[in-house]
Amino acid sequence: LGQVFIFLTIHHFSPLTCTTVTTTRKFFTILLSVYKFGHVLDVWQWSSVGLVFGGLYLEIVAKFIGEKGDDDDKKEKED
C-alpha cells in the first residue's frame, strides 16, 4: 500500500512533493513519539528537529516563490 501511495504521488505531483510528504510524515511521527511515549530528546536532537522543520519551511517558501516567478514571466511574455 505504501508503494502505491508513493507511485501515485510521484505520478500526479512530482518526486519533490513525494519527498516532502514522506519527510513531513516522519518528522511528525517522531514528535508524536516524543509526546505520547515520553521519549526525551537532548539539545542536539531538538536542534536537528529544528533543522528539519526549517528545511521544510524553506522548501515550501521556495516553491511558492518559484511559482510566482513563473506567473510573472508568463505575464511579461504576453505583454
Side-chain angles (χ1 to χ4, degrees):
L1 185 63
Q3 290 178 341
V4 173
F5 174 75
I6 291 170
F7 173 76
L8 291 175
T9 303
I10 291 172
H11 178 74
H12 290 289
F13 299 103
S14 70
L16 180 60
T17 302
C18 184
T19 302
T20 303
V21 168
T22 303
T23 303
T24 305
R25 181 189 59 82
K26 290 178 181 181
F27 174 70
F28 283 111
T29 300
I30 290 169
L31 292 180
L32 180 66
S33 175
V34 168
Y35 175 75
K36 185 173 181 179
F37 298 111
H39 295 149
V40 178
L41 299 181
D42 63 25
V43 174
W44 289 108
Q45 291 168 322
W46 278 115
S47 298
S48 298
V49 168
L51 285 173
V52 170
F53 182 74
L56 289 171
Y57 175 77
L58 290 175
E59 185 177 337
I60 291 168
V61 168
K63 181 178 177 182
F64 284 118
I65 289 173
E67 288 176 357
K68 183 180 179 189
D70 291 343
D71 291 342
D72 291 344
D73 291 342
K74 289 178 186 176
K75 289 179 184 177
E76 288 178 6
K77 288 180 182 179
E78 290 175 0
D79 293 336

